Every structure is written in structure tokens, then in C-alpha cells.
Amino acid sequence: MNSTSGINVIITGVTGMVGEGVLFECLQEPEVAQVLVVNRRPCGVVHPKLKEIIHQNFFDLSPIENQLAGYHACFFCLGVSSVGMKEAEYRHLTYDLTLHAAQTLARQNPQMVFCYVSGAGTDSSEKGRSMWARVKGKTENDLLKLPFKSVYNFRPAFLEPTPGMKNTSKYYKYIGWLAPAVRVLAPHYISTLRDLGQAMIHVATKGYQKQILEVPDIKALAKA
């Protein structure tokens, strides 16, 4: 990284809670020079660092592919819940979509650092009983095979939202009160969106010895 100019970052999923929080950190961070967000609808954020591309079909990025070159990192925060989904549908919207986007970015930016937001409990063996964990595990494993400079798979658990963000998941209104208890009883399962964003920026600029980052890694990097 050129310390005088900072890194150029692509972020997906900024109309969701995780992506919005990561975007907020990048816009505040001096080490990030430019941010490109690729969304299906406008994110509503205006900032001198920020450029936005509205694109509906993430399974075909060819119409915008030439606009995705020249970036040092991608923070891939796009994802769906597996609740109520059959495995084939969830795999299509998780594995297929992510791998298509990643392959496109690898062609344009072979020196890119790719950061994928997975989840605690992801099954690297791809053989467990939990459908979502198997699909996420295969996604992580196949991302690691792509010709990027580095790939980091982030596995947050209980994520505390950043105050003031507009896309905080509705269920936090019902479970947010549990956060203080989780911090005391299960500190390895709770982190903040700020922690996640700062950890991503850290690995993109300085690297890390692990490619799978659990909650303790995320919190340690956020403080580094």
C-alpha cells in the first residue's frame, strides 16, 4: 500500500447492516483513499471518497466489469439469510453469486485482497448437518483457490450494530438487550461492526497470518 494515497476498496452489500457498518468505517479511515459500492439500489450516502454503481444482476457483472479495475481490496458483505430456503436456492444466492463476483474481480485485480463475510459456525469440511454452514464452508474454500493476492474469510457471531446506522436488522430491537450478558458470559462470540470494519481494513493494508478469522481475531485486529 502507498501510505501517502491509501487503498481503493470495493464494498458490496452496503444497503444491509453489515455492509453499511463497514462502509462507515472505510469513509472515516485515512488509510482508505476511495470506495466503490456496487448496489441494486442507491445507498443514500454522499461522501467525497465514495462512488456508486447501480447494477441489478450480480450473476452477470460483464456490463460493469471494466469499472471494477484498479482496486486494492474488496469487502464482500453481500449475503442472505438461509431461513425458509431450500439448499439449492441458498447455494445459488450465496455460493454461485459470491464466486461469480470474486472471479470477475480476480480477473481485473490480481493483486486484490478479498475479504468475505461468512459467519461463526461455518463448516469447512462441507459435510456437516447444517445446510447454511456447508454452503458457507464451500464458498470459503473455493474463494481461497482464486488467484487473489490474499483471501480472508471473516466469521463474526453476535454483531453489535454501529449507532446511527439506518440498516440495522430489525431483530436487534428484540435481542440487543442481550449484548451486555453475551460480552460477560461469551466474549468470544460478540464483536461490533466497527471491529469488523477495522479488522478488514487492517488485513487489506497489513495482512494477517490466518485466512479464517474468528471473533477473537476480529477484535484483536480492530485494536491493532
Side-chain angles (χ1 to χ4, degrees):
M1 186 193 76
N2 184 336
S3 60
T4 61
S5 59
I7 58 170
N8 300 331
V9 176
I10 294 174
I11 309 177
T12 65
V14 301
T15 55
M17 185 184 93
V18 174
E20 182 185 33
V22 171
L23 172 62
F24 180 80
E25 295 305 319
C26 288
L27 294 179
Q28 311 305 310
E29 175 55 59
E31 289 190 295
V32 176
Q34 297 179 20
V35 179
L36 171 66
V37 297
V38 184
N39 302 321
R40 294 187 181 94
R41 65 179 191 275
C43 67
V45 178
V46 177
H47 192 279
K49 289 185 183 182
L50 182 63
K51 177 182 177 182
E52 184 172 43
I53 295 176
I54 304 300
H55 183 72
Q56 297 299 321
N57 185 5
F58 275 73
F59 294 98
D60 181 13
L61 295 174
S62 58
I64 64 169
E65 183 168 347
N66 62 359
Q67 299 179 64
L68 305 178
Y71 289 86
H72 303 98
C74 175
F75 300 157
F76 200 89
C77 306
L78 187 64
V80 296
S81 169
S82 64
V83 176
M85 282 195 189
K86 301 287 189 181
E87 183 163 352
E89 180 185 15
Y90 182 68
R91 178 188 169 107
H92 183 57
L93 294 174
T94 300
Y95 175 85
D96 293 345
L97 185 151
T98 304
L99 265 291
H100 171 71
Q103 288 162 351
T104 301
L105 290 171
R107 285 195 299 272
Q108 294 292 330
N109 307 282
Q111 290 302 305
M112 172 176 274
V113 175
F114 191 91
C115 296
Y116 176 59
V117 179
S118 185
T122 292
D123 177 14
S124 296
S125 77
E126 305 176 29
K127 297 177 181 178
R129 299 177 69 178
S130 173
M131 178 272 283
W132 76 264
R134 290 195 307 271
V135 173
K136 287 278 194 178
K138 180 168 180 57
T139 305
E140 286 188 357
N141 290 340
D142 286 0
L143 286 172
L144 291 170
K145 300 172 185 176
L146 295 181
F148 287 112
K149 178 182 178 181
S150 303
V151 172
Y152 297 98
N153 294 309
F154 286 75
R155 295 182 176 182
F158 192 120
L159 265 176
E160 291 190 87
T162 301
M165 299 291 98
K166 64 182 180 180
N167 294 318
T168 299
S169 296
K170 293 180 181 178
Y171 73 88
Y172 274 92
K173 295 179 181 178
Y174 304 101
I175 68 168
W177 62 274
L178 289 171
V182 176
R183 281 197 295 270
V184 173
L185 300 174
H188 291 343
Y189 289 93
I190 186 168
S191 59
T192 65
L193 263 178
R194 182 183 186 282
D195 292 335
L196 181 62
Q198 288 295 319
M200 285 183 163
I201 294 167
H202 184 103
V203 300
T205 56
K206 300 177 178 66
Y208 193 55
Q209 67 268 26
K210 298 180 184 178
Q211 290 182 293
I212 294 176
L213 292 85
E214 306 285 357
V215 173
D217 299 297
I218 292 169
K219 292 164 76 171
L221 283 172
K223 295 176 182 177

